[in-house]
Amino acid sequence: CTPVGAELEVVAPEHVPLAIKEETLAEDPYTANPDLTPGWNAYSGDGDVCAEVVYANYGTKEDFAKLAGLGVEVSGKIVLARYGGNFRGYKAKFAQEAGAVGLIIYTDPADSGYGKGIPYPEGGFANETYIQRGSILTVPYAGDPLTPFVEATKDAKRLDPANANLPTIPVQPVGWGAAKQIMGRMKGAGVPEGWQGGLPFAYRLTGGGALRVHLKVQQKRAMTRTFNVVATLRGAVHPEQKVVLGSHHDAWGYGAADPLCGMITVLESARILSDAARQGHPPARSIVFAAWGAEEFGIIGSTEWVEANRDDLAAHGVAYLNLDMASMGTQFGASASPALAGVIADAARIVPQARAKDNQTVLQEWSARSPDPAISGLPRLGDLGGGSDHVAFLCFVGVPSAGFSAGGSQGTSYHSTYDDLNWYRKVVGDDYEPAVMITRMTSIVAARLAWDPLLALDVARVGGDVQRHLRDLTRRGRDVALFEKPPAPAAPHTADSPAAAADANDLDPALRPLADAGAAYEVLARGVDERLRQAAGQSRLSADRIEAINMLILSLDRAWVSDAGVPGRPWFRNLYVASDEDSGYASWMLPVLRHAIERKDGAEVARAVATYQRIFARLTEITRDVAVILDEPATGP
């Protein structure tokens, strides 16, 4: 889809045209480019409406429920919601379901503007005309909305667009300067606690009958070709096995930050690793370098490639490393599958910290800033959710995946026309040290995965991570009143006994059988993992035994994949993780169980626990097979 035209204005009690494009800045000559578009949300419905206004905070599912509980009528109104809290598409979805005739999404200064720091161009944060563009597609799968499960070739069988659940109401993004003109004229009741933003007046739920806003959006929807650029460094021993590095190449404007500061790390890693092969040290496994198309329109390019190569990736995909918007500051972070935790930490131990004045490593800075509460000396590793090109690899096929990033810079240019070299060099810096750090991390992790004879994948970490997920799910079950809250402790915890009483209440009894299965697996797998490390260091395994072990290790992550998928979302086939069904960006860990908890269905919880117990039984079987191979007599001198 492409924008054709849009209008936004206050028409009563007076006429006020509202800006839908960023201002040109004398300090940033890139902003004068006439090819830069006004703000728009891809997949908006066409519409020309004039109506009263309702403010819906962040436009989350809970926010619309709050409006209903307060008796605020949304039907027939234009909703005004601020960015943040969920994927913008769900703001449109929930507004449309509530009967709204249009949606305006704005950037609030409390979230990304002067409430955070000095606005651009003096500083780096959103000024009053900054507009966040972006897709509002919310179908229950990634990729081309008309070809779920299959590659979107020219002759592919497609859904009828009328049946594809695309948005139907007009949606327009604006800056907080335009929103201020609307919200400053609202006369309704005050907002609930937590709904006040950063504009200099009290926020109101409704505008009243005297305030009317006119919104017109027109877009063209058409079949369009996009391009993936994919290059392969062929492995010398197992060329069928693949480590994939990728970032998307499409952007809403210049895209200096999103995505190109990640794309440059993919290209530099390709140069480094190809140079090693050219100098006589080819990888054992193939390394695929990818620049994905149309990520911004629904993670399309990568998803279609994965759907086209589904069987091959299921059998031979070692890992996917995502570098979307990767070098935005000096503070390294990663979200990853448990299997990649160890190799990421190993790389962080030897990569120098960007802009450090001493010999500090990435691991030292990362661990000090974000320690893992469960594993002493290691940093917290995030859980992958939705929103970028890892989704199809991880959620559809079950390939272990990671997203690398480095943040901490003071500002945002996200999806705006200000996302250019002038902003990037001013805010992130012109030394490109964050990109060097990310490239080193990426290259070392990829090299370990592609060159090491024994796959550098952690077989045990998932057991401990599941314990964490079950504690989180217990808290969620209590929040929705499915699980009973634990009794209050008889006495305050002391330094001598802080954990015992709390641990007893960490899990609901319904989840303890699964916790026991995960704990038992972790004990078994830790021992096997240690033996694998020793075997790798001693190099005393034959090639045949290494190959047999590697195939078993590859099958561990695939054990989580189910053809039935997550309830209501069969495209999400990985039962370990899926994106949040109501926010898009966040992760649902153990999503079959999370689905049951969200629906307050105790019987479904029991069935989900049984499903995951069977998965752990399969993981145990695979890991014991690895141990059997390790028990065979050693070979070599």
Side-chain angles (χ1 to χ4, degrees):
C1 51
T2 54
V4 175
E7 298 175 20
L8 182 64
E9 56 191 346
V10 174
V11 294
E14 60 246 304
H15 180 252
V16 184
L18 301 177
I20 58 172
K21 187 175 183 179
E22 292 91 340
E23 64 178 335
T24 299
L25 301 173
E27 300 90 337
D28 184 348
Y30 294 106
T31 62
N33 189 331
D35 293 332
L36 293 169
T37 66
W40 64 294
N41 288 122
Y43 300 102
S44 168
D46 285 350
D48 187 345
V49 297
C50 186
E52 297 176 25
V53 178
V54 171
Y55 171 65
N57 195 29
Y58 291 109
T60 65
K61 187 175 185 178
E62 294 76 12
D63 289 337
F64 279 99
K66 185 72 171 179
L67 287 174
L70 292 170
V72 176
E73 181 61 61
V74 174
S75 182
K77 307 296 197 303
I78 293 174
V79 167
L80 184 66
R82 52 176 165 159
Y83 273 110
N86 60 358
F87 170 57
R88 69 189 76 81
Y90 285 96
K91 303 176 195 295
K93 179 178 185 288
F94 300 141
Q96 183 173 305
E97 290 174 349
V101 296
L103 172 66
I104 302 164
I105 316 177
Y106 80 100
T107 299
D108 195 283
D111 301 318
S112 303
Y114 55 71
K116 294 294 185 181
I118 304 298
Y120 191 63
E122 181 183 356
F125 287 94
N127 62 32
E128 67 178 354
T129 67
Y130 163 106
I131 299 173
Q132 182 192 136
R133 293 149 181 80
S135 165
I136 57 170
L137 187 66
T138 55
V139 292
Y141 43 87
D144 184 329
L146 303 184
T147 62
F149 294 96
V150 298
E151 183 187 12
T153 60
K154 179 181 178 181
D155 299 322
K157 184 177 180 180
R158 287 177 162 79
L159 300 176
D160 184 335
N163 299 324
N165 200 31
L166 300 178
T168 59
I169 63 172
V171 181
Q172 178 63 44
V174 296
W176 55 261
K180 181 179 179 181
Q181 294 296 327
I182 300 172
M183 299 175 73
R185 291 172 167 81
M186 295 175 71
K187 301 297 184 182
V191 296
E193 182 180 358
W195 286 36
Q196 176 70 37
L199 292 172
F201 44 70
Y203 284 27
R204 309 295 186 108
L205 289 173
T206 60
L211 175 62
R212 296 183 66 82
V213 170
H214 172 229
L215 169 63
K216 180 180 180 180
V217 174
Q218 184 180 3
Q219 295 182 7
K220 179 182 179 182
R221 293 177 180 174
M223 298 294 297
T224 305
R225 175 174 290 185
T226 186
F227 296 90
N228 293 328
V229 182
V230 180
T232 301
L233 176 60
R234 185 174 173 82
V237 181
H238 291 290
E240 75 284 359
Q241 296 179 6
K242 297 175 180 67
V243 178
V244 186
L245 282 63
S247 170
H248 67 98
H249 63 75
D250 63 313
W252 293 100
Y254 292 103
D258 184 9
L260 297 179
C261 73
M263 191 70 249
I264 60 175
T265 67
V266 175
L267 297 174
E268 184 67 0
S269 293
R271 183 192 65 78
I272 292 167
L273 298 172
S274 298
D275 281 351
R278 193 175 295 112
Q279 293 165 11
H281 304 287
R285 303 172 190 91
S286 295
I287 307 176
V288 179
F289 304 95
W292 307 118
E295 187 268 358
E296 297 291 5
F297 289 82
I299 319 177
I300 291 175
S302 58
T303 298
E304 301 311 312
W305 190 83
V306 170
E307 289 177 340
N309 295 279
R310 168 181 172 174
D311 293 341
D312 180 50
L313 289 168
H316 306 299
V318 174
Y320 175 67
L321 306 181
N322 197 46
L323 285 305
D324 184 3
M325 204 176 177
S327 54
M328 293 292 293
T330 60
Q331 297 176 357
F332 180 82
S335 296
S337 300
L340 294 172
V343 70
I344 294 171
D346 287 346
R349 287 187 177 92
I350 59 176
V351 172
Q353 170 62 31
R355 297 179 187 153
K357 295 181 180 179
D358 50 21
N359 294 321
Q360 190 179 39
T361 66
V362 168
L363 186 70
Q364 290 169 331
E365 192 281 334
W366 185 16
S367 298
R369 172 173 41 84
S370 182
D372 189 322
I375 307 175
S376 178
L378 289 180
R380 184 190 298 271
L381 196 67
D383 299 312
L384 284 168
S388 194
D389 289 301
H390 63 273
V391 171
F393 288 92
L394 178 63
C395 299
F396 184 62
V397 180
V399 174
S401 300
F404 291 170
S405 63
S409 296
Q410 294 301 296
T412 181
S413 60
Y414 184 64
H415 288 193
S416 74
T417 60
Y418 301 136
D419 186 7
D420 58 32
L421 277 175
N422 192 81
W423 182 93
Y424 186 85
R425 289 171 174 165
K426 176 182 179 64
V427 177
V428 181
D430 59 5
D431 59 2
Y432 289 89
E433 282 298 312
V436 172
M437 177 179 69
I438 289 288
T439 300
R440 287 169 172 163
M441 285 293 303
T442 302
S443 299
I444 291 171
V445 171
R448 287 283 311 280
L449 293 168
W451 265 270
D452 284 10
L454 275 172
L455 281 172
L457 296 175
D458 192 324
V459 304
R461 174 71 179 249
V462 69
D465 281 6
V466 163
Q467 309 301 310
R468 170 170 59 87
H469 303 326
L470 291 175
R471 290 192 291 271
D472 292 341
L473 288 168
T474 292
R475 286 190 286 272
R476 181 58 184 165
R478 290 168 180 165
D479 288 344
V480 300
L482 174 63
F483 300 150
E484 292 184 2
K485 293 187 177 181
H493 296 157
T494 67
D496 295 329
S497 59
D503 287 346
N505 294 321
D506 267 353
L507 293 176
D508 187 84
L511 306 186
R512 284 177 187 154
L514 178 53
D516 291 343
Y521 172 76
E522 184 180 17
V523 170
L524 167 69
R526 287 290 174 212
V528 172
D529 204 31
E530 180 58 32
R531 294 180 64 192
L532 285 169
R533 288 178 178 270
Q534 293 174 359
Q538 295 169 358
S539 302
R540 295 179 62 83
L541 294 175
S542 68
D544 288 346
R545 290 168 69 190
I546 289 174
E547 182 177 358
I549 289 172
N550 285 343
M551 294 310 295
L552 288 168
I553 291 174
L554 279 180
S555 70
L556 286 168
D557 275 82
R558 309 310 191 268
W560 294 91
V561 175
S562 163
D563 287 340
V566 176
R569 295 188 293 163
W571 187 89
F572 287 87
R573 301 166 65 241
N574 189 338
L575 304 192
Y576 181 72
V577 60
S579 61
D580 186 320
E581 69 177 14
D582 289 326
S583 78
Y585 290 128
S587 57
W588 267 19
M589 309 310 298
L590 308 180
V592 176
L593 185 54
R594 177 66 183 268
H595 181 273
I597 290 171
E598 292 299 317
R599 281 146 185 82
K600 306 179 187 180
D601 189 330
E604 188 180 346
V605 166
R607 291 191 294 271
V609 167
T611 295
Y612 286 113
Q613 286 178 294
R614 288 191 292 271
I615 292 174
F616 270 114
R618 177 59 181 149
L619 295 177
T620 299
E621 179 184 354
I622 295 168
T623 305
R624 284 176 175 161
D625 287 345
V626 173
V628 168
I629 297 173
L630 290 171
D631 286 338
E632 295 174 3
T635 60

